[in-house]
Amino acid sequence: LDDGYTSSLSSIGAAGGTTIVDTDLINYQSDWFSDGSSGDQMTWVKLTSGTYSGQARAFSSYTAATGTITVKTAFGGQVASGVTYELHRIWTPTEKDNAIVYACRVAFPAVYKQVSDYIRFGNWLRNPVMKQWTVSTYPDHWRVSSVTAAQETTDVYSRRGESSCKLSTATGYLYADTGLLPELWYLAGQSVTFKARAWSSTASQIRLAIYDGTTITYGSYHPGDSSFGGDDPLEVTATIPYTASEIEFRVYYDSAAAAAYVDEAWVEGVSRYEYDISGLGLYNNCPRQVIKVSDDNNETEEILRHWTAPSTDGQLRFTGNPGEGSLLRIIGLGQLTTPTSSVSTEVDEPQVQIIIAEAAVYLCRLKLQKTNVQDVGRWAELVKFWEGEARQRRAKFMMSQPLITLHF
């Protein structure tokens, strides 16, 4: 679309952040830029590295002798030499960002993010494999007391999912309670077992506990053998009184000598046939398959059929019992994560070509709505061209779809 100039600055700009300097621009005439005063599209400058990376400012003036651009509103501060930048002459940076977001949405399901996650039948905890992190300080549906939590993506510290929960810095505990999960009140008066898979290199560091508002019941410590303990998770069992004032499941971190990691946690003992999967990123909260897998190596044991597709509330409902404590893999399609300024990293070539074509359609339609009468024909032709390109690229590069299981 001829609107992709990129370069790097040859020297520092003005102290107040009002200019950038690039001697490569000396080769361009002043009319190559626009301040928008004639009703045409204003040129924009967007920084793509350095302290003020991501900031975009409208063009004000250009000094050809030195390759200096002055912007209408100052950047956050003086722009350093060597900073990379983009010039946008036909569309604004925001319009291009919006085009990418639009393209990622309309390209579905030809281009998608494959969702693969786990639940354990009978488990009363959400986000058990610590995969979902809306904030950086604790996993979704969990909280921390004193200890520092962080998402860890190193393979050796993740046994089940794509990440685990790293505990470090200060002693304390990671917990889930009735304030986060009101459904835990159904466990009052029941005997339950809290289990978790943890990695620790320090003895007497990690153990589990169940708190009922009065009594804390502790389990045994992890041996500290730098492993997830094979097929034997940490566990603790307690009978929660009917009169419990709280129901809380805790992962204690009792030594800050080294970091420890929690990859999966679950509570069992009371049958449950309904699970919230709204946080998994499935399109319309609907899986393609639910598969029972082995606990040790994730090999398929059975493709399940006795479940109903979630409704808008995101609840997965089972009409049969695959076995208490069974590990179930949820497979489906999700829309690409909304990117901010580039194509999502969840898609690669050649599917990127579909995103590019759909983004071009969006931009050309946008220009068609705003253009002068004499340019309508040109932009209409470009819209038609890119719509055809999008169709051809979808047909050629669309991703293969995972199988759909007939269920009842």
Side-chain angles (χ1 to χ4, degrees), residues 1 91 99 102-103 106 354-369 379 382-391 394:
L1 296 175
W91 295 275
Y102 165 85
V106 300
I354 300 175
I355 304 297
I356 291 172
E358 294 290 2
V361 169
Y362 176 94
L363 290 171
C364 292
R365 286 175 179 169
L366 186 64
K367 188 60 70 174
L368 181 60
Q369 296 170 4
W379 290 109
L382 282 171
V383 169
K384 183 178 179 181
F385 170 79
W386 282 109
E387 287 176 340
E389 277 292 305
R391 287 192 297 270
R394 278 173 178 264

Side-chain angles (χ1 to χ4, degrees), residues 187 190-194 210 236-240 249 267-270:
L187 301 179
Q190 305 293 327
S191 177
V192 298
T193 299
F194 177 33
I210 300 175
V236 58
T237 299
T239 298
I240 300 172
F249 299 95
V267 172
E268 59 185 40
V270 179

Side-chain angles (χ1 to χ4, degrees), residues 97-127:
D97 291 346
N98 291 342
I100 294 172
V101 172
Y102 165 85
C104 287
R105 291 292 176 260
V106 300
F108 182 86
V111 182
Y112 62 86
K113 171 181 64 178
Q114 179 158 327
V115 176
S116 178
D117 215 323
Y118 296 90
I119 63 172
R120 195 174 284 276
F121 193 83
N123 181 23
W124 286 80
L125 300 179
R126 300 188 194 182
N127 192 20

Side-chain angles (χ1 to χ4, degrees), residues 168 211 248:
S168 65
Y211 175 57
E248 187 169 286

Side-chain angles (χ1 to χ4, degrees), residues 5-9 22 25 46-48 83-87:
Y5 184 90
T6 61
S7 186
S8 59
L9 303 180
D22 181 4
L25 293 175
K46 182 175 181 178
L47 305 181
T48 55
V83 165
T84 55
Y85 72 96
E86 301 169 344
L87 292 180

Side-chain angles (χ1 to χ4, degrees), residues 289-340:
Q289 291 184 317
V290 179
I291 302 173
K292 181 178 178 180
V293 298
S294 60
D295 218 325
D296 54 348
N297 57 16
N298 293 345
E299 289 187 355
T300 298
E301 292 185 349
E302 180 184 359
I303 298 176
L304 302 183
R305 302 179 185 276
H306 298 281
W307 54 274
T308 59
S311 58
T312 53
D313 62 2
Q315 300 298 309
L316 174 62
R317 297 176 176 88
F318 288 88
T319 56
N321 188 332
E324 294 296 324
S326 296
L327 185 65
L328 308 180
R329 186 181 179 197
I330 311 296
I331 297 175
L333 309 183
Q335 290 185 316
L336 300 178
T337 302
T338 302
T340 54

Side-chain angles (χ1 to χ4, degrees), residues 80-274:
S81 176
V83 165
T84 55
Y85 72 96
E86 301 169 344
L87 292 180
H88 301 263
R89 301 184 307 114
I90 303 176
W91 295 275
T92 70
T94 298
E95 288 171 340
K96 291 181 179 179
D97 291 346
N98 291 342
I100 294 172
V101 172
Y102 165 85
C104 287
R105 291 292 176 260
V106 300
F108 182 86
V111 182
Y112 62 86
K113 171 181 64 178
Q114 179 158 327
V115 176
S116 178
D117 215 323
Y118 296 90
I119 63 172
R120 195 174 284 276
F121 193 83
N123 181 23
W124 286 80
L125 300 179
R126 300 188 194 182
N127 192 20
V129 294
M130 314 292 174
K131 182 178 179 180
Q132 301 156 29
W133 293 69
T134 301
V135 298
S136 61
T137 51
Y138 47 77
D140 292 0
H141 308 296
W142 296 83
R143 293 296 184 270
V144 292
S145 176
S146 299
V147 66
T148 297
Q151 187 174 23
E152 176 62 57
T153 56
T154 306
D155 287 346
V156 69
Y157 302 125
S158 178
R159 185 177 188 273
R160 187 67 65 197
E162 296 176 359
S163 65
S164 60
C165 178
K166 177 182 178 181
L167 303 178
S168 65
T169 308
T171 59
Y173 55 88
L174 174 75
Y175 69 93
D177 63 8
T178 51
L180 299 168
L181 307 173
E183 60 268 28
L184 294 181
W185 286 117
Y186 287 108
L187 301 179
Q190 305 293 327
S191 177
V192 298
T193 299
F194 177 33
K195 298 182 179 182
R197 298 194 184 280
W199 189 102
S200 173
S201 61
T202 305
S204 302
Q205 181 184 50
I206 294 290
R207 62 175 171 172
L208 308 183
I210 300 175
Y211 175 57
D212 62 20
T214 302
T215 302
I216 303 178
T217 303
Y218 294 97
S220 299
Y221 277 108
H222 188 288
D225 59 353
S226 300
S227 77
F228 278 105
D231 295 329
D232 298 319
L234 298 176
E235 65 177 78
V236 58
T237 299
T239 298
I240 300 172
Y242 284 107
T243 56
S245 60
E246 180 57 274
I247 299 176
E248 187 169 286
F249 299 95
R250 299 176 176 178
V251 180
Y252 273 91
Y253 176 74
D254 287 340
S255 170
Y261 306 85
V262 182
D263 182 61
E264 183 184 13
W266 68 100
V267 172
E268 59 185 40
V270 179
S271 295
R272 188 181 187 193
Y273 289 83
E274 185 174 295

